[in-house]
Amino acid sequence: MRALVVDHASPGHLTLAEDVPEPRPAAHETLVRVEAVSLNSGEVHAATRPETPDGTVLGWDAAGVVVRAAADGSGPAEGERVVTVGYTGWAELRAVPAALLGTAPQDADPGALGTVPVAGLSALHVLRRMGPVLGRRVMVTGASGGVGRYAVQLAARAGAHVVAVSRDPERADALRALGAHEVHPEPADVRQPVWAVLDNVGGPHLVDAFAALEAGGTLVSVGRSSRADAVLSPDVLLGDGGRHDRSIRTFFLFGDPGTDFSADLTWLAHEVAAGRLDPGISWRGPWTRHAEAVEALLGRRLHGKAVLDVG
């Protein structure tokens, strides 16, 4: 089968290989023919690292159609449209256990579905960690990115007062259309305290966002797109003046190996298919043009998701 594999001699450190071995599904795995994938910065950066061997197949997000149901009866039936999360998504076929795939309407756009897994699941699970957000101020940094856009929409639907942070002033109207009540270029520009923060940026953004927390508030560190160090001075950690009991929490979507994502993937896929969640596709093309998508992502020229159509 064909797959995008790591090739450090090629543009974007990826090449489209023609002779990659097909997966051999275990009894509990469904075989999916992939129609579209989306790119995440973590896997793209992984492809550029010298320690990632040539020939490695990466990719978490993929959407497609079941071509062989799991032998043990778990998972969807042959012919169903699905969205999947895993570690070998940039290939024509992938074998997926039932816990890592969700079903979608038959007429859904596979490209839109392909944006759901890492970005949608991360936003959903982080917001759940925050607890009830109804009527509370919730900050989302990196709000124009894949996780950020989903977080803005989901937080607004949960009843939060959404404070979006994006350095691009041209994104303000789009973020308000997604449900943001305020849009600021920097966390330091936010004048009223917030109950919780979903931070996609790290570095100085994390420091300033933490300073904006009210007593008892929580910052969840999801991404580090700035690639900068977060240096907290002793004063930032003081608990006086209504700053007590604040916390910083780390997040890793696959931190609990036994997590069943199927229900959440199915719900998110149906919300996207129905138009109630905007997938935020900002670049789309055939996977033969993968180098363009990778260049745009690494150059931070994307506001949203990059989608590759497979085939």
Side-chain angles (χ1 to χ4, degrees):
M1 69 171 182
R2 292 181 299 170
L4 284 176
V5 302
V6 174
D7 178 1
H8 294 297
S10 297
H13 296 259
L14 294 170
T15 192
L16 185 59
E18 300 283 342
D19 54 354
V20 177
E22 294 188 4
R24 301 177 64 180
H28 68 288
E29 292 180 323
T30 298
L31 187 65
V32 176
R33 182 170 298 282
V34 175
E35 297 176 315
V37 303
S38 71
L39 307 182
N40 297 285
S41 61
E43 61 209 4
V44 170
H45 280 284
T48 67
R49 296 189 188 112
E51 61 267 26
T52 304
D54 282 350
T56 302
V57 180
L58 300 171
W60 294 320
D61 299 346
V65 175
V66 175
V67 293
R68 188 188 308 160
D72 67 356
S74 63
E78 182 177 330
E80 286 203 61
R81 186 170 298 283
V82 293
V83 56
T84 74
V85 63
Y87 296 101
T88 57
W90 298 340
E92 289 181 310
L93 295 169
R94 74 185 313 190
V96 193
L100 299 182
L101 60 78
T103 58
Q106 288 297 105
D107 60 350
D109 173 14
L113 297 178
T115 69
V116 163
V118 168
L121 284 174
S122 294
L124 183 63
H125 283 241
V126 169
L127 287 168
R128 286 176 178 166
R129 287 189 177 201
M130 293 176 179
V133 297
L134 180 64
R136 287 171 162 165
R137 291 170 57 82
V138 173
M139 181 190 296
V140 179
T141 70
S144 298
V147 176
R149 287 176 58 91
Y150 274 118
V152 167
Q153 296 174 80
L154 293 170
R157 288 180 58 173
H161 180 98
V162 182
V163 180
V165 176
S166 174
R167 288 180 173 176
D168 187 348
E170 296 182 3
R171 303 293 109 192
D173 288 343
L175 289 169
R176 289 191 180 94
L178 293 178
H181 299 82
E182 303 174 28
V183 183
H184 302 276
E186 304 283 345
D189 297 323
V190 179
R191 299 306 176 194
Q192 291 181 265
V194 298
W195 164 252
V197 177
L198 186 156
D199 178 46
N200 290 298
V201 181
H205 261 57
L206 183 149
V207 176
D208 291 337
F210 180 71
L213 283 175
E214 64 185 57
T218 301
L219 181 150
V220 183
S221 175
V222 179
R224 287 151 295 281
S225 63
S226 69
R227 304 287 165 177
D229 292 338
V231 181
L232 296 167
S233 70
D235 287 347
V236 172
L237 298 175
L238 291 175
D240 62 343
R243 297 182 293 174
H244 62 282
D245 201 25
R246 296 169 299 147
S247 62
I248 297 175
R249 299 183 64 181
T250 57
F251 175 78
F252 180 53
L253 182 61
F254 306 110
D256 297 318
T259 302
D260 187 338
F261 293 111
S262 58
D264 290 337
L265 283 169
T266 297
W267 181 78
L268 288 165
H270 279 75
E271 293 301 291
V272 168
R276 291 187 289 268
L277 283 176
D278 183 346
I281 298 173
S282 58
W283 191 100
R284 186 170 185 174
W287 67 342
T288 53
R289 294 172 54 197
H290 58 84
E292 297 176 41
V294 169
E295 181 184 5
L297 195 152
L298 292 177
R300 300 181 186 177
R301 298 196 302 273
L302 295 181
H303 297 280
K305 296 292 292 181
V307 169
L308 300 176
D309 293 304
V310 176

